């Protein structure tokens, strides 16, 4: 069970006139995010970033076709080198060390530790002279807070942030982006676990500089009469359901023949009314 994908939200923002100079995909894997959203990223240069070299051929092909840049490195809150813990599947590799709660959520499917070059998003944006405004997508397996700490300047010039968020990490991510001047625009791609609990999802944040994109009312004033009519109809239906449920509770166990009139006064036979439950 899942909610709508964030593609619809990005298209909605595009239709409202939001455009980007650079699309920055942190934890891009094979770079499919940019390719799958070309229609609403029109004119934006891609910057695909991932720490795993397994993706380099794919990212190089995207650069050759679309331009822009790619980097094989980790994005965190400092420059230099950092250790990542690799997983049995590269999608799950993370800056979080073995033993961290992140790994228990993926059943401790770790393999080895490797050192990779690391930098901050601010340093990389300066090095590459990236053109704002930015769209940032984060899918960095639990390393979101470190990436955001190293992106203060970039966030100042960022219009939209899409971020994969584990249910337990969401509060910190949300607080950091609200503090950076963003507002929560949508919650998308809700992923539920086998027992029905919420596991992870993709919140979409929009810069506070674009608050005009957020409707101030839930519906247009011209629709007031129609909305009121819907609510009146809904209440009538609720009251009718309530009446039937209460009558079943009152009369459902009555000692009357199934073919007798129902004691609730419906003028139906008991077996077709309260006695049918």
């Amino acid at each position: 069970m899942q909610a709508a994908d964030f593609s619809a939200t990005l298209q909605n923002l595009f239709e409202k006139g939001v455009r980007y100079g650079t699309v920055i995909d942190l934890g891009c894997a094979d770079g499919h995010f940019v390719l799958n959203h070309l229609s609403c990223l029109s004119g934006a240069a891609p910057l695909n970033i991932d720490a795993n070299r397994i993706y380099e051929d794919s990212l190089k092909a995207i650069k050759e076709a679309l331009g822009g840049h790619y980097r094989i490195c980790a994005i965190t809150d400092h420059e230099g080198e950092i250790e990542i813990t690799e997983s049995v599947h590269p999608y799950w590799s993370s800056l979080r060390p073995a033993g961290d709660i992140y790994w228990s959520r993926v059943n401790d499917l770790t393999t080895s530790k490797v050192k990779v070059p690391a930098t901050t998003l601010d340093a990389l944006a300066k090095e590459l002279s990236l053109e704002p405004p930015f769209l940032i997508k984060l899918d960095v397996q639990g390393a979101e807070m470190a990436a955001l700490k190293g992106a203060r300047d970039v966030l100042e010039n960022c219009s939209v942030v899409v971020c994969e968020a584990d249910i337990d990490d969401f509060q910190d991510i949300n607080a950091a982006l609200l503090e950076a001047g963003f507002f929560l625009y949508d919650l998308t791609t809700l992923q539920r676990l086998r027992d029905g609990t919420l596991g992870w999802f993709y919140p979409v944040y929009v810069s506070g500089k674009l608050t005009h994109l957020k409707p101030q009312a839930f519906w247009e004033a011209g629709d007031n009469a129609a909305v009121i009519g819907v609510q009146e109809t809904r209440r009538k239906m609720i009251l009718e359901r309530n009446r039937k449920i209460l009558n079943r509770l009152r009369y459902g166990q009555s000692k009357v023949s199934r073919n007798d009139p129902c004691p609730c006064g419906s003028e139906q036979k008991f077996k077709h009314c309260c006695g049918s439950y």
Side-chain angles (χ1 to χ4, degrees):
M1 178 180 180
Q2 57 182 318
D5 185 81
F6 53 75
S7 301
T9 304
L10 293 179
Q11 185 62 38
N12 174 271
L13 291 167
F14 180 81
E15 291 169 1
K16 290 182 177 181
V18 179
R19 301 292 186 272
Y20 316 100
T22 307
V23 176
I24 304 169
D25 188 356
L26 305 184
C28 64
D30 287 301
H32 51 281
F33 171 74
V34 170
L35 295 181
N36 289 346
H37 297 90
L38 290 175
S39 63
C40 51
L41 304 178
S42 177
L47 168 57
N48 286 315
I49 307 168
D50 203 283
N52 197 322
R53 283 208 173 272
I54 192 174
Y55 302 121
E56 185 163 13
D57 288 345
S58 179
L59 302 184
K60 188 181 295 183
I62 293 171
K63 179 181 183 299
E64 290 170 354
L66 296 179
H69 308 275
Y70 77 88
R71 282 290 185 277
I72 302 298
C73 67
I75 295 293
T76 184
D77 56 2
H78 63 275
E79 297 180 75
E81 194 175 58
I82 198 167
E83 185 176 78
I84 64 171
T85 302
E86 294 188 317
S87 177
V88 295
H89 193 289
Y91 282 177
W92 300 324
S93 297
S94 174
L95 295 181
R96 292 198 180 184
D100 186 274
I101 189 172
Y102 166 80
W103 290 107
S104 68
R105 294 181 189 130
V106 293
N107 297 323
D108 296 308
L109 294 173
T110 63
T111 55
S112 58
K113 298 178 181 179
V114 295
K115 298 219 178 230
V116 298
T119 189
T120 69
L121 202 48
D122 282 344
L124 198 53
K126 187 174 181 180
E127 174 195 336
L128 298 175
S129 300
L130 298 183
E131 186 71 27
F134 304 118
L135 181 153
I136 301 175
K137 180 198 150 254
L138 296 100
D139 192 348
V140 288
Q141 307 305 317
E144 297 82 13
M145 290 302 296
L148 292 172
K149 285 178 183 176
R152 298 189 187 280
D153 294 338
V154 167
L155 288 173
E156 280 289 324
N157 296 290
C158 181
S159 295
V160 175
V161 177
V162 181
C163 180
E164 183 187 55
D166 180 294
I167 187 65
D168 291 322
D169 296 334
F170 172 67
Q171 297 296 343
D172 289 340
I173 294 168
N174 184 61
L177 286 168
L178 294 181
E179 184 179 353
F182 291 80
F183 62 89
L184 182 60
Y185 187 80
D186 203 356
L187 292 176
T188 69
T189 323
L190 272 60
Q191 301 286 342
R192 298 192 178 277
L193 308 183
R194 181 174 291 181
D195 69 350
T197 56
L198 184 59
W200 68 96
F201 50 96
Y202 283 81
V204 178
Y205 294 87
V206 172
S207 168
K209 299 170 186 175
L210 301 175
T211 50
H212 63 280
L213 300 178
K214 187 177 183 181
Q216 299 305 305
F218 288 134
W219 60 83
E220 300 291 336
D223 295 330
N224 281 350
V227 172
I228 291 168
V230 167
Q231 293 302 325
E232 289 175 344
T233 300
R234 178 173 178 267
R235 184 164 186 252
K236 288 177 182 177
M237 293 172 61
I238 288 171
L239 289 173
E240 178 61 16
R241 278 199 300 267
N242 284 359
R243 185 188 68 79
K244 290 180 178 179
I245 292 170
L246 290 171
N247 280 341
R248 290 170 203 156
L249 293 172
R250 292 185 186 113
Y251 308 115
Q253 302 300 318
S254 297
K255 304 297 184 183
V256 297
S257 170
R258 287 172 50 78
N259 291 311
D260 286 347
C262 187
C264 76
S266 67
E267 299 184 357
Q268 292 181 292
K269 290 183 178 180
F270 181 64
K271 66 182 179 182
H272 295 312
C273 194
C274 296
S276 65
Y277 300 95

